[in-house]
Amino acid sequence: MKQDIQGCLQSYYSNFAAEMVKPQISNLDCISTGWESDIYSFVLEQGVANQPERKELILRIYSGKEAPHRSVREYHGMNQLHSADFPVPQVLLLERENSPFGKPFVIMEKIDGVLLGPLISRSGTRDNKQELIALFCDLLLRIHKLDWRPFVEDVSKYETDNPFEFIDSELNKKRALCERCPASGFLPVLEWLEHRRDLVPCSIPSLVHLDFHLTNVLVRSDGSPFVIDWGQMDVSDFRFDLAWTSLLLRMHSGMKLRDSVLQIYESLAGFQVEQIEFFEVLACFRRLFNSAVWFTMDPERGEMDSRSVEGLSVAEGFSGMGRHKDAIRKGYEMLVELTDIRVPGLERYAYLPA
């Protein structure tokens, strides 16, 4: 498989990089695979013998029906972030029309760094750990404070007099999912959210990452951080972003770190985040709904088609849920704690013996 990818990449550079002198691809290595994208590192060498140029780069190949939109959004978003001096890898190329993979791809610089999550886990002193957590929080707050207007094509779409524009749009999407898959058991969760909708107006839009977690931050040896994985970036209420981070921390790192991150974020921001629990319930819905669908519906009886409601295949879903069962259980416990609502099919799975 890696040889096929390397061969296709070599062919692409040979055919479409006319400005390069004898480009050669080597050392291709798979970093990760997933339903959204596959990520590889590789080395690009070009130039004549006495003036060689060598670059370590990242190839990201996008999958699924959202691939064309996601690739454009990430490429242009990261370009804009780089122009705004926000620490992201520099994107170098977006290809959609002439992709040898049959899918759009982006090439960007490779950051020689360590993931922030393991760095925090290995930190020797409490002060060092707190410094790294503060770095994490500061990056998230900087995203939310950026001028969001350069990141959208139509500013008027987001400058609205309706402070419930973002939340209404999100709740409408969730209702469509519940109507499509009523056996998921998530309708009571949606009704809990709809009942509290008037408590969460948003007066100021923010740029949001929407998958900001400890393994999406790389730290170089000199301490400089870089934020990666911008495929879901958008403009919305910043609390969507913070709550998703909060949920992932609770599921994968524990409540102590989650509480510390929220406290430091609020301290750096200079205000208390209102109604964060509402957005945490929304985050639970986003993370757990597919799991509930996978474990309460039988595609062979026609209860759902060969795809999940969000684009994942059923086979990928069961495999992924099996690998993350403990995290799903923690997310489910958070949902029950916040709403006192139980989702029977998901609960049966979450507490099945391993």
Side-chain angles (χ1 to χ4, degrees):
M1 180 64 177
K2 289 198 299 183
Q3 288 181 338
D4 293 341
I5 297 294
Q6 183 165 315
C8 287
L9 196 57
Q10 179 65 65
S11 175
Y12 176 82
Y13 271 99
S14 297
N15 293 328
F16 295 102
E19 75 283 2
M20 293 187 179
V21 178
K22 297 180 180 179
Q24 293 294 319
I25 305 299
S26 62
N27 296 1
L28 186 128
D29 191 27
C30 180
I31 294 176
S32 66
T33 60
W35 69 276
E36 288 183 343
S37 65
D38 297 334
I39 302 175
Y40 302 87
S41 62
F42 68 97
V43 171
L44 170 64
E45 296 177 283
Q46 63 129 350
V48 294
N50 61 340
Q51 289 183 318
E53 180 180 339
R54 185 180 189 275
K55 293 182 179 179
E56 295 189 19
L57 302 174
I58 294 292
L59 165 68
R60 183 167 188 166
I61 306 172
Y62 299 81
S63 302
K65 64 181 181 180
E66 288 293 314
H69 175 65
R70 193 181 295 273
S71 60
V72 171
R73 178 170 54 193
E74 183 159 35
Y75 178 79
H76 289 298
M78 290 181 70
N79 248 337
Q80 187 61 46
L81 286 160
H82 193 267
S83 297
D85 292 325
F86 188 86
V88 295
Q90 185 175 5
V91 286
L92 305 173
L93 184 147
L94 165 65
E95 183 58 77
R96 293 185 296 165
E97 305 300 327
N98 298 307
S99 172
F101 312 110
K103 304 172 183 178
F105 67 88
V106 164
I107 289 175
M108 65 187 77
E109 69 170 320
K110 180 182 179 182
I111 301 300
D112 184 15
V114 179
L115 295 174
L116 182 57
L119 204 58
I120 290 176
S121 300
R122 297 197 304 263
S123 57
T125 66
R126 183 180 182 278
D127 287 347
N128 181 240
K129 181 173 290 189
Q130 288 301 108
E131 286 178 8
L132 293 172
I133 295 171
L135 172 67
F136 179 72
C137 297
D138 181 66
L139 287 167
L140 183 56
L141 182 61
R142 285 175 63 187
I143 294 171
H144 299 160
K145 285 185 171 183
L146 285 170
D147 182 4
W148 56 268
R149 293 168 185 81
F151 293 87
V152 299
E153 293 183 4
D154 184 3
V155 172
S156 64
K157 177 182 175 183
Y158 299 90
E159 290 183 329
T160 172
D161 294 332
N162 178 8
F164 298 100
E165 183 76 26
F166 296 124
I167 193 62
D168 286 345
S169 175
E170 193 63 26
L171 291 178
N172 288 339
K173 294 175 186 175
K174 299 295 184 276
R175 177 156 289 279
L177 292 177
C178 287
E179 290 174 353
R180 180 177 174 184
C181 303
S184 67
F186 266 75
L187 183 58
V189 180
L190 174 64
E191 292 172 342
W192 186 96
L193 290 163
E194 291 176 333
H195 182 70
R196 292 159 177 79
R197 170 261 193 193
D198 291 348
L199 300 175
V200 290
C202 172
S203 57
I204 302 175
S206 299
L207 186 69
V208 289
H209 183 283
L210 293 183
D211 200 21
F212 191 84
H213 54 75
L214 295 173
T215 54
N216 272 338
V217 179
L218 288 165
V219 181
R220 280 180 170 163
S221 57
D222 64 0
S224 53
F226 291 80
V227 180
I228 60 175
D229 197 2
W230 291 86
Q232 299 186 66
M233 69 183 302
D234 202 352
V235 171
S236 189
D237 189 319
F238 78 93
R239 291 172 292 184
F240 285 111
D241 215 8
L242 182 60
W244 182 251
T245 299
S246 170
L247 172 63
L248 294 183
L249 287 169
R250 176 164 179 160
M251 291 173 71
H252 299 285
S253 304
M255 277 297 293
K256 184 176 181 181
L257 184 55
R258 175 267 178 197
D259 291 345
S260 180
V261 165
L262 182 58
Q263 181 182 8
I264 294 173
Y265 181 95
E266 289 179 329
S267 176
L268 292 172
F271 60 82
Q272 184 175 356
V273 179
E274 298 182 355
Q275 298 294 332
I276 187 62
E277 295 82 4
F278 177 95
F279 291 88
E280 287 177 325
V281 173
L282 261 176
C284 289
F285 191 121
R286 173 186 168 190
R287 180 63 182 85
L288 300 175
F289 183 84
N290 268 358
S291 305
V293 170
W294 282 317
F295 296 111
T296 57
M297 291 187 174
D298 183 355
E300 293 184 0
R301 294 204 307 264
E303 291 180 338
M304 70 185 266
D305 60 20
S306 62
R307 303 176 306 276
S308 82
V309 293
E310 301 267 348
L312 292 172
S313 74
V314 176
E316 287 171 334
F318 278 104
S319 173
M321 294 309 103
R323 291 194 305 271
H324 301 291
K325 183 175 179 179
D326 185 59
I328 291 170
R329 178 179 54 79
K330 291 177 182 177
Y332 177 68
E333 290 172 351
M334 182 178 187
L335 176 66
V336 174
E337 177 185 313
L338 292 170
T339 65
D340 202 27
I341 295 170
R342 297 185 178 275
V343 182
L346 190 57
E347 182 163 317
R348 284 194 298 271
Y349 168 73
Y351 294 100
L352 278 175

